[in-house]
Amino acid sequence: MEKAFTFFLSTLLLLMASSAMTQTNNTTDQLALLSLKSQIISDLSHFLDEKWSPTVSCHWVGVTCDSLHHRVKSLNHSNMALMGKISRDLGNNSFLVSLDLGSNNFQGNVPREMARLRQLKFLDLVINNFRGEVPSWFGFLHQLQFLNLGNNSFSGSIPSSFSNISKLETLNMKYNSIEGQIPKVMEVL
């Protein structure tokens, strides 16, 4: 009887700890998304004003969560006429697999904290106003299969670290100020 009670109590504590960890991780994702929202200075369609209330982030416009952990796995805010910057905190969405911010008016540099998005497979930043050198930290995104940086104001050359993105199938860097040679290891793309 005592063993059964001990087993029941241990199982209950384990479930409570797991639930608390999931809640903390969901909170981390939600705070990162709210930080992104705070960096948006214009939302002409009011997508984020009305539909991003401080409730469960998995039901927000453009947000998809995985069914097992209820963590943000996809963020699609393409073609929403958003203007602003990408928050550094977006790099805290560690389960993010797909990020589409294409065809908006995001500006500035792409924050290096996004290098923490190690599960990212799809990144679309096309038709924005990003500037600066093409970030070398993209080379840390080993799972990346699709990278669209076209129609921005990136400058410099393609970093040699891109050779670390062995799963990359699609790369678009058209209509930027890219100079120099394509690294040999990338010629197979």
Side-chain angles (χ1 to χ4, degrees):
M1 177 83 166
E2 187 175 316
K3 285 184 179 182
F5 179 74
T6 303
F7 175 75
F8 172 75
L9 190 57
S10 298
T11 303
L12 182 62
L13 288 172
L14 183 62
L15 287 172
M16 288 172 58
S18 174
S19 175
M21 285 175 30
T22 299
Q23 182 64 33
T24 300
N25 290 335
N26 289 346
T27 302
T28 300
D29 287 355
Q30 185 172 353
L31 289 173
L33 293 175
L34 288 172
S35 181
L36 173 65
K37 179 183 176 185
S38 74
Q39 296 294 309
I40 294 174
I41 59 175
S42 178
D43 175 12
L44 298 177
S45 301
H46 303 285
F47 283 112
L48 306 185
D49 288 345
E50 298 170 10
K51 299 169 182 84
W52 272 39
S53 61
T55 59
V56 180
S57 56
C58 292
H59 299 291
W60 291 351
V61 170
V63 176
T64 305
C65 296
D66 73 333
S67 57
L68 181 60
H69 299 99
H70 303 288
R71 300 290 305 272
V72 176
K73 71 174 185 178
S74 176
L75 182 60
N76 183 349
H77 285 151
S78 62
N79 299 298
M80 288 189 172
L82 302 174
M83 178 188 283
K85 294 184 177 188
I86 296 180
S87 166
R88 293 178 177 147
D89 294 330
L90 193 59
N92 293 334
N93 287 90
S94 58
F95 276 61
L96 201 60
V97 174
S98 177
L99 176 59
D100 190 347
L101 299 176
S103 300
N104 283 293
N105 194 10
F106 284 99
Q107 306 166 10
N109 296 319
V110 181
R112 72 181 58 204
E113 288 80 4
M114 286 178 55
R116 295 190 305 246
L117 301 175
R118 301 297 171 103
Q119 295 189 41
L120 201 63
K121 294 180 180 180
F122 180 95
L123 179 57
D124 193 343
L125 302 177
V126 71
I127 310 174
N128 278 287
N129 289 306
F130 293 111
R131 67 177 190 278
E133 291 192 3
V134 177
S136 61
W137 54 259
F138 281 136
F140 293 117
L141 303 176
H142 300 285
Q143 300 301 315
L144 207 56
Q145 297 171 0
F146 180 93
L147 178 58
N148 191 353
L149 303 175
N151 295 75
N152 280 286
S153 296
F154 288 112
S155 60
S157 60
I158 299 174
S160 60
S161 62
F162 273 42
S163 63
N164 297 328
I165 315 173
S166 60
K167 296 183 179 181
L168 192 62
E169 297 172 5
T170 303
L171 173 64
N172 177 15
M173 299 181 77
K174 292 190 284 187
Y175 306 111
N176 283 288
S177 297
I178 307 299
E179 305 171 343
Q181 300 292 317
I182 297 173
K184 293 268 186 219
V185 293
M186 296 189 67
E187 289 178 354
V188 293
L189 284 177

